[in-house]
Amino acid sequence: MSLQKYIEIFAREAEEHLQSLRHGLLAIETQGATPELIHELLRNAHTIKGSAMMVGLEQIAELTHQMESLFAGFESGSRELTPGCVDVLLLATDTVEELLARVQAGDQSKVEVGSVLEGLKNGKLAQVPVVAAGSESVTGAGRERNKTVRASVERLDVLVNQLGELLIARQEFDDKIRQIRQLNRQFEEFMAVLRKDDNCEKAKSLLAKYSRMANDLEQSTFALGYQAEELHASAMQLRMMPLSTITEDLVRMVRDLGREQGKSVTLDVEGESLELDRVLLDEIKPMLMHMVRNAVDHGVEAKEERAACGKPEQSLIRLKARYEGGKAQLVLSDDGRGIDPHSVRKAAVDKKLLSQSEAGSMSDEESVYLILRPGFSTRTFVTDISGRGVGMDIVKTNIDRIKGNLLIDSVPGAGTAMQLTFPLSTAVFTSLLAESDGEKYAIPLNYVAEVLRLNDADILQELGREVVRVHGETIPLFSLTALLNPGSSDRVAGRRISAVILHFRNRKIACLVSRIIGEQDIVVKNMGKQLKSVEFFSGATILGDGSPALILSIPDLFGSGINQGKTRLSEEIDAYSAAQKKGRILVVDDSITTRTMEKNILETHGYQVTIAVSGFDALEKLDAGSFDLMVSDVEMPGMTGFELTRKVRQREETKTLPVIICTSLATDEHKRLGMEVGAQAYIVKGNFDQGTLLDTVAALIA
Amino acid sequence: MTMESGRDSYDIKQILNEMRSEYWQALEEVEVDQSTETAEYVLVRIHSDLFALEVQSCREVLRLPRIVKVPRAGKQILGIINIRGEIIAVTDLRPALDYPAHLQQEKTRLVVVRAAGLTTALLVDRVEGIVRFDAGAIETLTDGLSGARRDMVGGQIVYKEEMVVLLDLEKMFGSQEFVIDQKEEQSF
């Protein structure tokens, strides 16, 4: 996640606290102060301070720090709460808000806050309020004359989705027209056997009118459908952005990575003007980052090695983008050492991603895909260079989302090419509808190689499993019903059977279904908040008759659906989930900015993170699940991190749970207190960086 | 599990109207007697027992539309339905309440509820109507009653010589049991 994203989260959080501060201060003026109110305001200032430090907004941190000190002074009685204090605190609140607005508008320039800070120290207003002069810069008039309008991505998505629905509605019309035509034919047949008399003539002329009407309707529907498609395409166009918006960062990344590793390498991008849906670009970017990084880390050789092979010192990574048959195709190739299947298998075994026997039976062709497996790379995938974490499973997860496919072609000694192919739209795509066990399922067409009608006799036995021979290829046969509902089976004997040949990466399976319904454009809908993710499905759609249908996730099906031991890919997924269990961490913090940031950093590094928003919440979560480590803030409403830590130590089940205190309270007094209650480590947010947290976590969790 | 009863079977309007008129009646009654604090509940029957759902959480009542089952989602999810273009999961409380999963077609309804930030359709065997309970009359749950687990329940109350269990929807749907997240995709 980029810093700007964190700043947005921070801004939302800070806004609430600022509002609370303003209300509280005004309440003090009108109704006087209570100890609870003062403490509440202290906490508001403290939270903003902590979060501001996390996202590196020094001025806001400094201001809120002084505000906090002042409130602390009121609390201890060392400072007197005067009307002047309230004035200056209100001014400080305004100033923080102003700074916040600037940051959000992307304005990094500093504001003169010296007089406000001075005021906070003295407890009275300095002569010249600083805000008045600067405030117009943000609300500025500069944007007004622009001929473009800004529309939120969400709004565009809604528009695109609604138009997608319109396309579906058109299909209903097509259905109805087919029915009318059929009626028409029946009518004509009936008329043919009637004798010629007056009534018959009359009926004939009626039929003629009716036929003309049906034709007209068909034409109108066609026109409407055409318009709807055009409209949908124009709406999609609004979301299109050139590939260069994501490749520019990559070029820079390659250069920096190369320099870091002492390799001379450049990235050459071809077809960067290719326009893609923004939604797709968002999904592809982390995948490309992963792939490019992989190429630099493992593909490209060091200078000496290249020289020894007679290759030019400068190595080249190429990214070629183009449209290919209604799909987008990205090919990333390097001229490095290529992937040696043998050493890849060995590395996978060393990293416990693969057992010795599994490695022994894995083909060279399949072995190269091991490099995509999370936990395979020797490098950690977050560096200070990119500054944003790329989840290791990003390639797998995102391929599913974009309904894409990835092929790896590697020649040892000469280089590696990875080909990523995906449909141009995620909102509407063509799918094959098939029925299994009484339900209809949508299969993204991108994964369908062909549709087969089989006789029972076409099914062969090989090594104790059923296979079919197609174009000289032996393909394992699975029943969709049995894949989806383990234990059940619906082999239909002695009848013609329909099977869909699915392909993913370099593998194929034949999937038995009870009926093939046909191709249809479908609009992807999520399954609601209750069904966040269900294995084997990537979403749902609504069919022409109004009933929902699930969309099959083919990567899932290839991943774990195919029974154990028969395929490599199922083991790959198993190994992945084992690697994923690097450690379960409970993050406790009342500030959403801090929580999100810590969660992301830890998850990026393969830890499983659960979040708690208060001490009480943390105790509940500890009760509900088991954890390997807890990271906690100190200043939280209700129960402080110190109290929480003490409680954790007292409880039998969590007595030995390592605790890291992560706070902006930096005094030695606090640190001592942290150790006293039994925390193993104490990290100050001010000098908080990923490295410190990760190192500490790694040291404690081992 | 194909429970086809046609697309035009949403008798929402009628039921809502009934609910509404009962609601207004109840309101008028309250205006007469404002001495105690009361709250309204939708009274439903699951298997043989009565359960109460806070009226604020209930959106509408539907006859069974076509329910598309979701393999592997778990027993507590009966399937998904389409409500005006939105996909909503159908929650079956019977496994959690230890009742047999037997469908009583005739009076079976879906009560669409919104709780803990999500919308779901609760499968009930019968909707009895809307009732008003005194807050003071609500007791804590007697152990072992009606198979309902404590973590799903907000209390119990006697109504017309029957025990009514108040379901705590916020708690139920805030828990992992009724939210399906099998892939745990990483956010980044």
Side-chain angles (χ1 to χ4, degrees), chain A residues 401 437 439 483-484 486 525 529-530 532-537 545-546 548 556 580, chain B residues 7 66 68-69 71-72 82 85 89 91 117 120 178-183 185-186 188:
Chain A
R401 288 214 205 114
D437 197 23
E439 301 286 5
L483 283 177
L484 297 179
K525 290 187 165 283
K529 283 187 182 153
Q530 194 177 3
K532 281 185 182 151
S533 65
V534 182
E535 214 187 355
F536 293 161
F537 304 106
D545 68 354
D556 272 9
Q580 187 72 351
Chain B
R7 287 183 69 192
R66 171 157 157 69
V68 171
K69 64 186 173 190
R72 297 208 175 203
N82 165 17
T91 304
T120 186
F178 292 104
V179 178
I180 312 300
D181 192 1
Q182 295 169 338
K183 300 191 199 174
E185 279 173 14
Q186 288 194 7
F188 66 97

mmCIF file of all heavy atoms in Angstrom, chain A residues 401 437 439 483-484 486 525 529-530 532-537 545-546 548 556 580, chain B residues 7 66 68-69 71-72 82 85 89 91 117 120 178-183 185-186 188:
data_model
loop_
_atom_site.group_PDB
_atom_site.id
_atom_site.type_symbol
_atom_site.label_atom_id
_atom_site.label_comp_id
_atom_site.label_asym_id
_atom_site.label_seq_id
_atom_site.Cartn_x
_atom_site.Cartn_y
_atom_site.Cartn_z
ATOM 1 N N ARG A 401 -8.573 -13.420 -10.122
ATOM 2 C CA ARG A 401 -9.445 -12.253 -10.248
ATOM 3 C C ARG A 401 -9.570 -11.783 -11.681
ATOM 4 O O ARG A 401 -10.629 -11.352 -12.099
ATOM 5 C CB ARG A 401 -8.898 -11.102 -9.404
ATOM 6 C CG ARG A 401 -9.097 -11.361 -7.948
ATOM 7 C CD ARG A 401 -9.359 -10.059 -7.234
ATOM 8 N NE ARG A 401 -8.974 -10.211 -5.854
ATOM 9 C CZ ARG A 401 -7.968 -9.564 -5.284
ATOM 10 N NH1 ARG A 401 -7.294 -8.665 -5.987
ATOM 11 N NH2 ARG A 401 -7.665 -9.768 -4.039
ATOM 12 N N ASP A 437 -25.386 -31.313 -11.102
ATOM 13 C CA ASP A 437 -26.198 -31.585 -9.923
ATOM 14 C C ASP A 437 -27.345 -30.584 -9.764
ATOM 15 O O ASP A 437 -27.607 -30.078 -8.682
ATOM 16 C CB ASP A 437 -25.297 -31.567 -8.673
ATOM 17 C CG ASP A 437 -25.969 -32.244 -7.485
ATOM 18 O OD1 ASP A 437 -26.874 -33.067 -7.713
ATOM 19 O OD2 ASP A 437 -25.600 -31.923 -6.340
ATOM 20 N N GLU A 439 -27.616 -27.514 -10.598
ATOM 21 C CA GLU A 439 -27.314 -26.089 -10.529
ATOM 22 C C GLU A 439 -26.503 -25.685 -11.756
ATOM 23 O O GLU A 439 -25.739 -26.471 -12.299
ATOM 24 C CB GLU A 439 -26.492 -25.772 -9.268
ATOM 25 C CG GLU A 439 -27.162 -26.134 -7.964
ATOM 26 C CD GLU A 439 -28.296 -25.172 -7.583
ATOM 27 O OE1 GLU A 439 -28.623 -24.271 -8.393
ATOM 28 O OE2 GLU A 439 -28.847 -25.324 -6.481
ATOM 29 N N LEU A 483 -16.008 -32.919 -7.466
ATOM 30 C CA LEU A 483 -15.007 -31.931 -7.072
ATOM 31 C C LEU A 483 -15.597 -30.948 -6.076
ATOM 32 O O LEU A 483 -14.964 -30.556 -5.103
ATOM 33 C CB LEU A 483 -14.515 -31.148 -8.298
ATOM 34 C CG LEU A 483 -13.526 -31.825 -9.223
ATOM 35 C CD1 LEU A 483 -13.213 -30.927 -10.404
ATOM 36 C CD2 LEU A 483 -12.241 -32.157 -8.480
ATOM 37 N N LEU A 484 -16.823 -30.546 -6.346
ATOM 38 C CA LEU A 484 -17.452 -29.537 -5.492
ATOM 39 C C LEU A 484 -17.971 -30.134 -4.195
ATOM 40 O O LEU A 484 -17.974 -29.477 -3.168
ATOM 41 C CB LEU A 484 -18.605 -28.848 -6.237
ATOM 42 C CG LEU A 484 -18.208 -28.061 -7.486
ATOM 43 C CD1 LEU A 484 -19.427 -27.451 -8.142
ATOM 44 C CD2 LEU A 484 -17.210 -26.971 -7.129
ATOM 45 N N PRO A 486 -17.103 -33.201 -2.025
ATOM 46 C CA PRO A 486 -16.276 -34.385 -1.831
ATOM 47 C C PRO A 486 -17.136 -35.543 -1.307
ATOM 48 O O PRO A 486 -18.017 -35.350 -0.482
ATOM 49 C CB PRO A 486 -15.275 -33.941 -0.768
ATOM 50 C CG PRO A 486 -15.296 -32.464 -0.792
ATOM 51 C CD PRO A 486 -16.647 -32.057 -1.242
ATOM 52 N N LYS A 525 -20.805 -10.407 -10.065
ATOM 53 C CA LYS A 525 -21.275 -9.773 -8.824
ATOM 54 C C LYS A 525 -20.566 -10.455 -7.682
ATOM 55 O O LYS A 525 -20.246 -11.629 -7.767
ATOM 56 C CB LYS A 525 -22.778 -9.993 -8.668
ATOM 57 C CG LYS A 525 -23.586 -9.215 -9.673
ATOM 58 C CD LYS A 525 -25.046 -9.342 -9.360
ATOM 59 C CE LYS A 525 -25.843 -8.314 -10.097
ATOM 60 N NZ LYS A 525 -25.747 -7.001 -9.494
ATOM 61 N N LYS A 529 -21.382 -9.566 1.725
ATOM 62 C CA LYS A 529 -20.396 -9.508 2.810
ATOM 63 C C LYS A 529 -20.367 -10.790 3.626
ATOM 64 O O LYS A 529 -19.412 -11.062 4.327
ATOM 65 C CB LYS A 529 -20.717 -8.331 3.731
ATOM 66 C CG LYS A 529 -20.296 -7.023 3.118
ATOM 67 C CD LYS A 529 -20.471 -5.902 4.096
ATOM 68 C CE LYS A 529 -20.087 -4.589 3.460
ATOM 69 N NZ LYS A 529 -20.783 -3.477 4.058
ATOM 70 N N GLN A 530 -21.448 -11.546 3.561
ATOM 71 C CA GLN A 530 -21.473 -12.759 4.374
ATOM 72 C C GLN A 530 -20.613 -13.855 3.747
ATOM 73 O O GLN A 530 -19.966 -14.620 4.436
ATOM 74 C CB GLN A 530 -22.910 -13.253 4.542
ATOM 75 C CG GLN A 530 -23.029 -14.291 5.635
ATOM 76 C CD GLN A 530 -24.455 -14.720 5.863
ATOM 77 O OE1 GLN A 530 -25.371 -14.287 5.163
ATOM 78 N NE2 GLN A 530 -24.664 -15.564 6.840
ATOM 79 N N LYS A 532 -17.644 -13.871 2.015
ATOM 80 C CA LYS A 532 -16.498 -13.071 1.584
ATOM 81 C C LYS A 532 -15.692 -13.819 0.546
ATOM 82 O O LYS A 532 -15.288 -13.263 -0.455
ATOM 83 C CB LYS A 532 -15.612 -12.742 2.777
ATOM 84 C CG LYS A 532 -16.159 -11.611 3.620
ATOM 85 C CD LYS A 532 -15.162 -11.258 4.697
ATOM 86 C CE LYS A 532 -15.723 -10.160 5.569
ATOM 87 N NZ LYS A 532 -15.184 -10.246 6.918
ATOM 88 N N SER A 533 -15.415 -15.065 0.816
ATOM 89 C CA SER A 533 -14.737 -15.877 -0.189
ATOM 90 C C SER A 533 -15.091 -17.329 0.075
ATOM 91 O O SER A 533 -15.059 -17.779 1.205
ATOM 92 C CB SER A 533 -13.223 -15.674 -0.118
ATOM 93 O OG SER A 533 -12.718 -16.138 1.108
ATOM 94 N N VAL A 534 -15.473 -18.003 -0.965
ATOM 95 C CA VAL A 534 -15.811 -19.409 -0.847
ATOM 96 C C VAL A 534 -14.904 -20.161 -1.808
ATOM 97 O O VAL A 534 -14.775 -19.792 -2.968
ATOM 98 C CB VAL A 534 -17.289 -19.678 -1.194
ATOM 99 C CG1 VAL A 534 -17.626 -21.146 -1.015
ATOM 100 C CG2 VAL A 534 -18.210 -18.822 -0.348
ATOM 101 N N GLU A 535 -14.276 -21.206 -1.307
ATOM 102 C CA GLU A 535 -13.360 -21.975 -2.114
ATOM 103 C C GLU A 535 -14.050 -22.472 -3.376
ATOM 104 O O GLU A 535 -15.199 -22.929 -3.312
ATOM 105 C CB GLU A 535 -12.854 -23.166 -1.295
ATOM 106 C CG GLU A 535 -11.439 -23.502 -1.625
ATOM 107 C CD GLU A 535 -11.002 -24.773 -0.930
ATOM 108 O OE1 GLU A 535 -11.758 -25.329 -0.121
ATOM 109 O OE2 GLU A 535 -9.903 -25.221 -1.214
ATOM 110 N N PHE A 536 -13.350 -22.416 -4.479
ATOM 111 C CA PHE A 536 -13.816 -22.883 -5.789
ATOM 112 C C PHE A 536 -14.697 -21.883 -6.525
ATOM 113 O O PHE A 536 -15.120 -22.148 -7.638
ATOM 114 C CB PHE A 536 -14.578 -24.208 -5.704
ATOM 115 C CG PHE A 536 -13.704 -25.354 -5.300
ATOM 116 C CD1 PHE A 536 -14.230 -26.519 -4.797
ATOM 117 C CD2 PHE A 536 -12.337 -25.259 -5.443
ATOM 118 C CE1 PHE A 536 -13.418 -27.563 -4.431
ATOM 119 C CE2 PHE A 536 -11.517 -26.291 -5.085
ATOM 120 C CZ PHE A 536 -12.060 -27.453 -4.574
ATOM 121 N N PHE A 537 -15.011 -20.753 -5.902
ATOM 122 C CA PHE A 537 -15.842 -19.773 -6.601
ATOM 123 C C PHE A 537 -15.199 -18.400 -6.541
ATOM 124 O O PHE A 537 -14.584 -18.046 -5.547
ATOM 125 C CB PHE A 537 -17.243 -19.736 -5.995
ATOM 126 C CG PHE A 537 -17.895 -21.087 -6.013
ATOM 127 C CD1 PHE A 537 -18.020 -21.817 -4.857
ATOM 128 C CD2 PHE A 537 -18.305 -21.642 -7.208
ATOM 129 C CE1 PHE A 537 -18.575 -23.091 -4.870
ATOM 130 C CE2 PHE A 537 -18.854 -22.913 -7.239
ATOM 131 C CZ PHE A 537 -18.985 -23.634 -6.066
ATOM 132 N N ASP A 545 -33.025 -15.570 -16.369
ATOM 133 C CA ASP A 545 -34.289 -15.893 -15.702
ATOM 134 C C ASP A 545 -34.335 -15.363 -14.268
ATOM 135 O O ASP A 545 -35.268 -15.651 -13.527
ATOM 136 C CB ASP A 545 -34.541 -17.406 -15.715
ATOM 137 C CG ASP A 545 -33.548 -18.164 -14.847
ATOM 138 O OD1 ASP A 545 -32.606 -17.533 -14.325
ATOM 139 O OD2 ASP A 545 -33.709 -19.378 -14.693
ATOM 140 N N GLY A 546 -33.324 -14.598 -13.870
ATOM 141 C CA GLY A 546 -33.347 -13.974 -12.552
ATOM 142 C C GLY A 546 -32.713 -14.804 -11.456
ATOM 143 O O GLY A 546 -32.541 -14.325 -10.351
ATOM 144 N N PRO A 548 -29.660 -16.734 -9.482
ATOM 145 C CA PRO A 548 -28.206 -16.555 -9.397
ATOM 146 C C PRO A 548 -27.469 -17.796 -9.896
ATOM 147 O O PRO A 548 -28.047 -18.879 -9.912
ATOM 148 C CB PRO A 548 -27.951 -16.372 -7.898
ATOM 149 C CG PRO A 548 -29.264 -16.408 -7.213
ATOM 150 C CD PRO A 548 -30.274 -16.966 -8.157
ATOM 151 N N ASP A 556 -8.637 -22.269 -8.446
ATOM 152 C CA ASP A 556 -8.937 -23.019 -7.226
ATOM 153 C C ASP A 556 -9.127 -24.493 -7.537
ATOM 154 O O ASP A 556 -8.654 -25.372 -6.828
ATOM 155 C CB ASP A 556 -10.248 -22.522 -6.589
ATOM 156 C CG ASP A 556 -10.002 -21.368 -5.647
ATOM 157 O OD1 ASP A 556 -8.859 -20.873 -5.638
ATOM 158 O OD2 ASP A 556 -10.946 -20.969 -4.951
ATOM 159 N N GLN A 580 2.430 -20.343 4.782
ATOM 160 C CA GLN A 580 1.676 -19.182 5.227
ATOM 161 C C GLN A 580 1.617 -19.113 6.750
ATOM 162 O O GLN A 580 1.530 -18.056 7.325
ATOM 163 C CB GLN A 580 0.268 -19.288 4.643
ATOM 164 C CG GLN A 580 -0.590 -18.090 4.859
ATOM 165 C CD GLN A 580 -0.140 -16.932 4.007
ATOM 166 O OE1 GLN A 580 0.900 -16.969 3.372
ATOM 167 N NE2 GLN A 580 -0.905 -15.879 3.999
ATOM 168 N N ARG B 7 -41.170 -16.628 -9.741
ATOM 169 C CA ARG B 7 -40.520 -15.353 -9.443
ATOM 170 C C ARG B 7 -41.476 -14.360 -8.808
ATOM 171 O O ARG B 7 -41.073 -13.462 -8.102
ATOM 172 C CB ARG B 7 -39.972 -14.741 -10.739
ATOM 173 C CG ARG B 7 -38.758 -15.455 -11.246
ATOM 174 C CD ARG B 7 -38.257 -14.756 -12.468
ATOM 175 N NE ARG B 7 -37.702 -13.450 -12.130
ATOM 176 C CZ ARG B 7 -37.413 -12.552 -13.039
ATOM 177 N NH1 ARG B 7 -37.641 -12.762 -14.287
ATOM 178 N NH2 ARG B 7 -36.903 -11.399 -12.680
ATOM 179 N N ARG B 66 -36.053 -19.063 -5.616
ATOM 180 C CA ARG B 66 -35.146 -20.141 -5.984
ATOM 181 C C ARG B 66 -33.830 -19.924 -5.240
ATOM 182 O O ARG B 66 -33.220 -18.864 -5.337
ATOM 183 C CB ARG B 66 -34.912 -20.125 -7.490
ATOM 184 C CG ARG B 66 -33.829 -21.059 -7.924
ATOM 185 C CD ARG B 66 -33.969 -21.458 -9.373
ATOM 186 N NE ARG B 66 -32.686 -21.893 -9.910
ATOM 187 C CZ ARG B 66 -32.068 -23.011 -9.539
ATOM 188 N NH1 ARG B 66 -32.607 -23.804 -8.640
ATOM 189 N NH2 ARG B 66 -30.902 -23.335 -10.056
ATOM 190 N N VAL B 68 -30.021 -21.032 -4.792
ATOM 191 C CA VAL B 68 -28.931 -21.747 -5.450
ATOM 192 C C VAL B 68 -27.925 -22.145 -4.384
ATOM 193 O O VAL B 68 -27.400 -21.297 -3.663
ATOM 194 C CB VAL B 68 -28.264 -20.848 -6.515
ATOM 195 C CG1 VAL B 68 -26.995 -21.498 -7.040
ATOM 196 C CG2 VAL B 68 -29.235 -20.592 -7.650
ATOM 197 N N LYS B 69 -27.687 -23.428 -4.260
ATOM 198 C CA LYS B 69 -26.795 -23.861 -3.176
ATOM 199 C C LYS B 69 -25.343 -23.523 -3.507
ATOM 200 O O LYS B 69 -24.964 -23.425 -4.673
ATOM 201 C CB LYS B 69 -26.981 -25.350 -2.915
ATOM 202 C CG LYS B 69 -26.582 -26.199 -4.075
ATOM 203 C CD LYS B 69 -26.919 -27.658 -3.827
ATOM 204 C CE LYS B 69 -26.639 -28.402 -5.115
ATOM 205 N NZ LYS B 69 -27.112 -29.745 -5.154
ATOM 206 N N PRO B 71 -21.839 -25.044 -2.876
ATOM 207 C CA PRO B 71 -21.109 -26.184 -2.351
ATOM 208 C C PRO B 71 -19.948 -25.718 -1.478
ATOM 209 O O PRO B 71 -19.325 -24.713 -1.766
ATOM 210 C CB PRO B 71 -20.584 -26.883 -3.604
ATOM 211 C CG PRO B 71 -21.455 -26.410 -4.709
ATOM 212 C CD PRO B 71 -21.882 -25.034 -4.335
ATOM 213 N N ARG B 72 -19.700 -26.444 -0.415
ATOM 214 C CA ARG B 72 -18.558 -26.211 0.461
ATOM 215 C C ARG B 72 -18.670 -24.989 1.352
ATOM 216 O O ARG B 72 -17.749 -24.701 2.111
ATOM 217 C CB ARG B 72 -17.261 -26.066 -0.350
ATOM 218 C CG ARG B 72 -16.934 -27.330 -1.097
ATOM 219 C CD ARG B 72 -15.459 -27.421 -1.282
ATOM 220 N NE ARG B 72 -15.126 -28.698 -1.887
ATOM 221 C CZ ARG B 72 -13.939 -29.267 -1.775
ATOM 222 N NH1 ARG B 72 -13.003 -28.679 -1.112
ATOM 223 N NH2 ARG B 72 -13.710 -30.422 -2.334
ATOM 224 N N ASN B 82 -31.361 -14.084 -5.291
ATOM 225 C CA ASN B 82 -31.272 -12.790 -5.955
ATOM 226 C C ASN B 82 -32.405 -11.911 -5.433
ATOM 227 O O ASN B 82 -33.571 -12.216 -5.633
ATOM 228 C CB ASN B 82 -31.403 -13.002 -7.468
ATOM 229 C CG ASN B 82 -31.679 -11.713 -8.220
ATOM 230 O OD1 ASN B 82 -31.488 -10.618 -7.704
ATOM 231 N ND2 ASN B 82 -32.144 -11.863 -9.459
ATOM 232 N N GLY B 85 -31.549 -7.905 -7.885
ATOM 233 C CA GLY B 85 -30.230 -7.727 -8.486
ATOM 234 C C GLY B 85 -29.076 -7.867 -7.521
ATOM 235 O O GLY B 85 -27.925 -7.796 -7.907
ATOM 236 N N ALA B 89 -26.956 -14.145 0.830
ATOM 237 C CA ALA B 89 -26.843 -15.519 1.313
ATOM 238 C C ALA B 89 -28.045 -15.859 2.197
ATOM 239 O O ALA B 89 -28.602 -14.996 2.865
ATOM 240 C CB ALA B 89 -25.550 -15.677 2.101
ATOM 241 N N THR B 91 -29.175 -17.829 5.392
ATOM 242 C CA THR B 91 -28.606 -18.441 6.588
ATOM 243 C C THR B 91 -29.601 -19.427 7.187
ATOM 244 O O THR B 91 -30.762 -19.098 7.388
ATOM 245 C CB THR B 91 -28.270 -17.365 7.630
ATOM 246 O OG1 THR B 91 -27.406 -16.402 7.035
ATOM 247 C CG2 THR B 91 -27.585 -17.982 8.842
ATOM 248 N N GLY B 117 -23.280 -5.188 9.891
ATOM 249 C CA GLY B 117 -22.780 -4.687 8.618
ATOM 250 C C GLY B 117 -23.073 -5.558 7.412
ATOM 251 O O GLY B 117 -22.627 -5.267 6.319
ATOM 252 N N THR B 120 -28.463 -10.617 5.326
ATOM 253 C CA THR B 120 -28.622 -12.040 5.099
ATOM 254 C C THR B 120 -30.106 -12.374 5.165
ATOM 255 O O THR B 120 -30.906 -11.598 5.680
ATOM 256 C CB THR B 120 -27.827 -12.860 6.141
ATOM 257 O OG1 THR B 120 -27.900 -14.241 5.786
ATOM 258 C CG2 THR B 120 -28.386 -12.686 7.539
ATOM 259 N N PHE B 178 -20.807 -17.406 10.968
ATOM 260 C CA PHE B 178 -21.777 -17.141 9.910
ATOM 261 C C PHE B 178 -21.211 -16.291 8.769
ATOM 262 O O PHE B 178 -21.937 -15.866 7.895
ATOM 263 C CB PHE B 178 -23.027 -16.491 10.505
ATOM 264 C CG PHE B 178 -23.800 -17.442 11.380
ATOM 265 C CD1 PHE B 178 -23.747 -17.347 12.757
ATOM 266 C CD2 PHE B 178 -24.559 -18.461 10.811
ATOM 267 C CE1 PHE B 178 -24.439 -18.242 13.560
ATOM 268 C CE2 PHE B 178 -25.248 -19.360 11.600
ATOM 269 C CZ PHE B 178 -25.193 -19.255 12.978
ATOM 270 N N VAL B 179 -19.926 -15.999 8.842
ATOM 271 C CA VAL B 179 -19.297 -15.279 7.733
ATOM 272 C C VAL B 179 -18.285 -16.223 7.100
ATOM 273 O O VAL B 179 -17.435 -16.766 7.790
ATOM 274 C CB VAL B 179 -18.600 -13.994 8.225
ATOM 275 C CG1 VAL B 179 -17.909 -13.290 7.075
ATOM 276 C CG2 VAL B 179 -19.613 -13.067 8.878
ATOM 277 N N ILE B 180 -18.420 -16.447 5.811
ATOM 278 C CA ILE B 180 -17.565 -17.427 5.152
ATOM 279 C C ILE B 180 -16.405 -16.717 4.457
ATOM 280 O O ILE B 180 -16.614 -15.905 3.568
ATOM 281 C CB ILE B 180 -18.364 -18.232 4.102
ATOM 282 C CG1 ILE B 180 -19.670 -18.739 4.697
ATOM 283 C CG2 ILE B 180 -17.531 -19.385 3.553
ATOM 284 C CD1 ILE B 180 -19.523 -19.655 5.883
ATOM 285 N N ASP B 181 -15.209 -17.004 4.911
ATOM 286 C CA ASP B 181 -14.025 -16.401 4.296
ATOM 287 C C ASP B 181 -12.962 -17.487 4.205
ATOM 288 O O ASP B 181 -12.105 -17.601 5.059
ATOM 289 C CB ASP B 181 -13.548 -15.219 5.139
ATOM 290 C CG ASP B 181 -12.518 -14.382 4.392
ATOM 291 O OD1 ASP B 181 -12.207 -14.728 3.228
ATOM 292 O OD2 ASP B 181 -12.023 -13.406 4.962
ATOM 293 N N GLN B 182 -13.056 -18.304 3.160
ATOM 294 C CA GLN B 182 -12.184 -19.476 3.089
ATOM 295 C C GLN B 182 -10.844 -19.196 2.459
ATOM 296 O O GLN B 182 -9.916 -19.961 2.602
ATOM 297 C CB GLN B 182 -12.895 -20.600 2.321
ATOM 298 C CG GLN B 182 -14.120 -21.101 3.059
ATOM 299 C CD GLN B 182 -14.969 -22.014 2.210
ATOM 300 O OE1 GLN B 182 -14.911 -21.976 0.988
ATOM 301 N NE2 GLN B 182 -15.788 -22.824 2.864
ATOM 302 N N LYS B 183 -10.774 -18.098 1.705
ATOM 303 C CA LYS B 183 -9.507 -17.872 1.009
ATOM 304 C C LYS B 183 -8.635 -16.876 1.750
ATOM 305 O O LYS B 183 -7.443 -16.831 1.522
ATOM 306 C CB LYS B 183 -9.766 -17.378 -0.416
ATOM 307 C CG LYS B 183 -10.576 -18.376 -1.232
ATOM 308 C CD LYS B 183 -10.594 -17.998 -2.692
ATOM 309 C CE LYS B 183 -11.728 -18.675 -3.412
ATOM 310 N NZ LYS B 183 -11.844 -18.213 -4.790
ATOM 311 N N GLU B 185 -8.001 -13.714 1.541
ATOM 312 C CA GLU B 185 -7.109 -12.985 0.644
ATOM 313 C C GLU B 185 -6.407 -11.874 1.398
ATOM 314 O O GLU B 185 -6.979 -11.229 2.248
ATOM 315 C CB GLU B 185 -7.926 -12.367 -0.488
ATOM 316 C CG GLU B 185 -8.201 -13.388 -1.553
ATOM 317 C CD GLU B 185 -9.138 -12.854 -2.597
ATOM 318 O OE1 GLU B 185 -9.338 -11.639 -2.606
ATOM 319 O OE2 GLU B 185 -9.648 -13.656 -3.377
ATOM 320 N N GLN B 186 -5.170 -11.721 1.046
ATOM 321 C CA GLN B 186 -4.426 -10.671 1.715
ATOM 322 C C GLN B 186 -4.759 -9.323 1.118
ATOM 323 O O GLN B 186 -4.836 -9.167 -0.079
ATOM 324 C CB GLN B 186 -2.937 -10.909 1.523
ATOM 325 C CG GLN B 186 -2.460 -12.083 2.327
ATOM 326 C CD GLN B 186 -0.955 -12.082 2.401
ATOM 327 O OE1 GLN B 186 -0.309 -11.151 1.972
ATOM 328 N NE2 GLN B 186 -0.414 -13.134 2.951
ATOM 329 N N PHE B 188 -3.420 -5.582 0.607
ATOM 330 C CA PHE B 188 -2.077 -4.995 0.598
ATOM 331 C C PHE B 188 -2.163 -3.568 0.140
ATOM 332 O O PHE B 188 -3.210 -3.125 -0.329
ATOM 333 C CB PHE B 188 -1.146 -5.793 -0.304
ATOM 334 C CG PHE B 188 -1.519 -5.734 -1.747
ATOM 335 C CD1 PHE B 188 -0.902 -4.842 -2.603
ATOM 336 C CD2 PHE B 188 -2.530 -6.551 -2.241
ATOM 337 C CE1 PHE B 188 -1.274 -4.785 -3.927
ATOM 338 C CE2 PHE B 188 -2.890 -6.494 -3.554
ATOM 339 C CZ PHE B 188 -2.263 -5.604 -4.407
#
